[in-house]
Amino acid sequence: MVSGFETIQLTTIVLIVVAGFSAGWVDAVVGGGGLLQLPALLLVPGITPVQALATNKMGSIFGTTTSAVTYYGRVRPDLRTAVPMAAIALAGSFGGALLATRLPAEVFKPIIVVALVAVALFTALRPDAGHLTVLRHDGRTHYVVACAIGAVIGFYDGLIGPGTGSFLVIALVSAMGYAFLEASAKAKIVNMATNAGALIFFLPHGSLLWGVGLLLGAANMAGGYLGARTAVKQGSKFVRVVFLVVVFALIVKLAFDVWQENFA
């Protein structure tokens, strides 16, 4: 398959468009849209897991780019932090994608579930966290922490992927002291770079389904634009609530995967 449309039915195309739009909206607000997008892609007859991952990244980069531009026009996030963080994250994502071809992601899923539970508890038990931007570091330390976050989460995105945007948001809130809205704006810039890093790896392998990817990208763009506008309009409290919902969904999804792989 080259386009992905060779054997696909109209109902599946509609489901992919709906999933792409919804994923774009969720990704723009807090991240985690892959929960919706990847399962929809797996409905394409004959698609392989690598093709699904590559096509998912292609669709996502349209959405994250759109939401990043929309956020920038309204929130004006500090690019002096976001750009170097994104550059490091791009390299990390490429490295993660490289390792993903040699090491099964299942090895890391139990660790990710524990991390997500910790994230959910931190956010739920500290209602004031992320309400206002109160930076925890200044000077060189600020940029070192930002780049470390970019490297670790970029690597995770290339290796596994689900919840990358959510991890970026909570890291920017908890480790750096940003408000949820500003954290989401920066996270979109970094997430755009992690998608690009994984795509750079996948492109030479011929894994992309170009037709499905472009359709998914268009739907993702629309969802990303609307999601970013909604987040800006509603503010950090709204982003925090959506964040908790998405993190809970991620915990359930990954915990179910771990159970199936080990006990089913």
Side-chain angles (χ1 to χ4, degrees):
M1 289 190 294
V2 176
S3 73
F5 291 130
E6 289 85 348
T7 57
I8 199 169
Q9 296 181 346
L10 180 61
T11 51
T12 304
I13 293 174
V14 172
L15 283 172
I16 288 172
V17 170
V18 171
F21 178 85
S22 303
W25 189 92
V26 171
D27 266 337
V29 180
V30 290
L35 279 175
L36 303 167
Q37 205 159 263
L38 267 174
L41 282 172
L42 292 172
L43 296 174
V44 176
I47 195 170
T48 66
V50 173
Q51 286 176 323
L53 285 170
T55 306
N56 175 59
K57 290 298 180 189
M58 182 180 179
S60 294
I61 199 168
F62 282 92
T64 51
T65 301
T66 301
S67 55
V69 171
T70 305
Y71 269 119
Y72 183 74
R74 289 163 174 77
V75 179
R76 296 288 176 180
D78 178 18
L79 294 182
R80 292 174 299 176
T81 299
V83 170
M85 189 178 177
I88 297 292
L90 188 150
S93 179
F94 183 91
L98 180 63
L99 185 60
T101 62
R102 304 179 184 183
L103 195 64
E106 289 75 15
V107 174
F108 298 93
K109 283 184 180 177
I111 301 171
I112 302 306
V113 172
V114 173
L116 282 169
V117 170
V119 163
L121 288 173
F122 173 86
T123 308
L125 297 176
R126 296 190 60 182
D128 292 334
H131 182 62
L132 296 171
T133 292
V134 181
L135 295 180
R136 301 184 187 280
H137 314 284
D138 54 19
R140 182 178 297 178
T141 304
H142 174 87
Y143 296 105
V144 169
V145 173
C147 288
I149 291 169
V152 172
I153 299 181
F155 183 82
Y156 167 78
D157 191 26
L159 181 64
I160 304 174
T164 296
S166 300
F167 278 124
L168 281 168
V169 169
I170 196 60
L172 287 164
V173 170
S174 60
M176 301 198 69
Y178 285 107
F180 267 102
L181 183 60
E182 191 167 351
S184 286
K186 282 183 171 60
K188 294 295 95 49
I189 296 171
V190 178
N191 207 178
M192 178 177 63
T194 62
N195 286 330
L199 264 181
I200 290 169
F201 174 81
F202 284 125
L203 276 172
H205 293 74
S207 302
L208 283 172
L209 302 182
W210 289 94
V212 172
L214 289 171
L215 179 67
L216 194 64
N220 224 268
M221 283 177 70
Y225 177 73
L226 181 62
R229 287 181 62 91
T230 303
V232 171
K233 182 178 179 180
Q234 299 297 328
S236 287
K237 287 186 178 179
F238 171 79
V239 175
R240 180 180 180 275
V241 170
V242 178
F243 176 83
L244 282 170
V245 171
V246 171
V247 167
F248 178 75
L250 280 165
I251 291 169
V252 172
K253 167 68 168 59
L254 290 175
F256 181 74
D257 287 348
V258 171
W259 182 83
Q260 275 200 317
E261 288 155 8
N262 293 280
F263 305 106

